[in-house]
Structures are given as structure tokens and as C-alpha cells.
Amino acid sequence: MLCDAEGVKALGDAQVKDEAIEFASLMCSRLCHDLLSPVGALNNGLELLADEDDPALRKEYLSLLADGARASAEKLKFFRLAFGAAGGFGDRIDAGEVRASLDSLAGMSGKVAFGWVADCTTLDRSATRIVLNLGLIALDALVRGGRLDVGLEGGEIVVRAEGARLVLDGEVRRVLAGEALPTTSRTIGAVLASTVAERDGRTLLLQEEDGVLLLGASRV
């Protein structure tokens, strides 16, 4: 009978597994969405290159292919740190690698200046995930470019985005504010940052002013 203690436990375990599978599926959907553009550019470039005999145009297409390959590689490095299990890294991750990954992502559009101030040389896995996911949310909000600054001091995490037009997704905002919503591919980064922060004893920060978005995490 499913109403006995063993049956209730089985139902609970099944629900946890279903939620984990759904979370993993949504994360894969987000990654595929973000990688579709640079990988698609590679495919288009190869098709153009195959049909082109003009040396000048072939050189141009090869340059586009190089750009697409570089963007794909940088995004994969970022996602590995932000979403991956980080099994290949130790308990601590080089802060320089975290900085370089976020700097590279910010620089892809050519419209976002990046700043980094930190009083540490390494980050634990939880802080790494929080920093990168909040940074990604802030970058998504800078729809017309601007400036992204990250500050790490005394265990506090602050991500500041400033631009002529900031657009923070409404569901992402609600998740960061602590509201429980069904997870979607758009909110997966906010859900991950919120979950990791709570597990790590941190409280998320969300402030919006005219042209400025502040995100962060501090110890309770």
C-alpha cells in the first residue's frame, strides 16, 4: 500500500528525483539556447567557406569561424564553472579564472565594460556559482550595454550593472526576491544562485535604481 510509511517515503523519493531531472533538463535547455548562436555561426561559416573561391572572402569567413569557435569555447568554460559539478576543480577555485570567465562573457558584445575588485585569490564552489550566475543575470539585463562591476570583500558578493537601459526579467526578479516560482529555463540561474546561497547561509541582495542594478549575497 502506498499509504504506509514505506510507500510515503517512496513517493517522496520519486518526487525528489523528478524535480532533479526537471532541473537538469531546464539547465540543459538554457545551455543549448545560449550556445546555439555561436555554434550556428560556425555552421553557417563552414557552408559559406565551402562554396567560396575568392581568397579575400575566404579569409573573412575564416575570421568569422575563429570568432565563433572562440565564443563557443569561452561560453563552455563559463558554463562549466557556473553550472557544472566542478568535479575537476578542488575545494577552492582560482579567483583569476572566475574573473577571466566573466570578463570574457562580458566582452563578447563589445558593449560592456568590466571591473573586478576582490580581496581573495580563491573562491569556494558556492561563491563561484553565485558570482557567475548573478553576473550572467546582470549581463542579460544590460540590453544596450553599459558596465558590469563585481566586488568580493570579506565574504560578501556584490554585482553592479549600470546602463542606459536595464531590463531584468520579471520572473528572475521574483526568484531573487525570495518568491517560490516554477523553475524555467529563463530562471534557472536565479534558482541556482538562490539555492546555493541559502545552503551556504547567505541572503541574496536585489536593488534597482534608475539605470543601476545591484545583486549580491551576504552572510546571514
Side-chain angles (χ1 to χ4, degrees):
M1 294 290 293
L2 290 177
C3 60
D4 59 19
E6 185 176 347
V8 171
K9 181 179 183 301
L11 282 174
D13 291 344
Q15 182 178 0
V16 170
K17 289 180 181 178
D18 287 344
E19 290 176 352
I21 291 172
E22 179 68 10
F23 189 86
S25 298
L26 290 169
M27 183 174 291
C28 288
S29 178
R30 172 63 194 259
L31 301 185
C32 290
H33 174 273
D34 284 8
L35 285 171
L36 185 60
S37 178
V39 173
L42 285 174
N43 184 62
N44 293 337
L46 287 171
E47 291 179 354
L48 291 170
L49 192 63
D51 297 329
E52 185 56 62
D53 296 326
D54 184 270
L57 287 176
R58 286 182 65 86
K59 183 178 181 180
E60 182 179 343
Y61 294 154
L62 285 171
S63 178
L64 292 174
L65 284 171
D67 289 342
R70 184 164 47 251
S72 299
E74 293 300 332
K75 284 194 173 185
L76 284 171
K77 290 178 183 178
F78 179 90
F79 293 145
R80 182 184 180 214
L81 284 170
F83 297 126
F89 304 101
D91 291 333
R92 308 289 299 183
I93 299 170
D94 184 356
E97 185 169 1
V98 177
R99 173 184 179 175
S101 184
L102 193 52
D103 188 9
S104 177
L105 198 67
M108 285 184 185
S109 69
K111 298 178 181 179
V112 178
F114 180 72
W116 174 281
V117 177
D119 65 353
C120 55
T121 57
T122 62
L123 297 171
D124 60 38
R125 297 182 186 183
S126 295
T128 297
R129 287 176 175 167
I130 293 171
V131 168
L132 293 181
N133 278 283
L134 293 184
L136 182 58
I137 291 169
L139 281 173
D140 285 344
L142 287 169
V143 293
R144 292 183 180 173
R147 182 172 181 84
L148 178 70
D149 290 287
V150 175
L152 306 171
E153 185 176 359
E156 305 295 298
I157 298 169
V158 176
V159 175
R160 184 181 186 275
E162 182 176 3
R165 186 163 183 255
L166 283 170
V167 180
L168 180 62
D169 182 90
E171 291 187 359
V172 171
R173 178 187 293 106
R174 291 164 67 186
V175 171
L176 293 175
E179 188 172 344
L181 295 177
T183 304
T184 67
S185 59
R186 291 202 316 274
T187 63
I188 194 74
V191 171
L192 182 58
S194 178
T195 302
V196 172
E198 182 178 1
R199 185 188 65 190
D200 201 38
R202 298 176 185 266
T203 299
L204 289 185
L205 164 73
L206 168 62
Q207 292 183 9
E208 296 177 87
E209 300 177 3
D210 186 26
V212 176
L213 171 67
L214 284 177
L215 303 173
S218 60
R219 296 290 183 185
V220 178

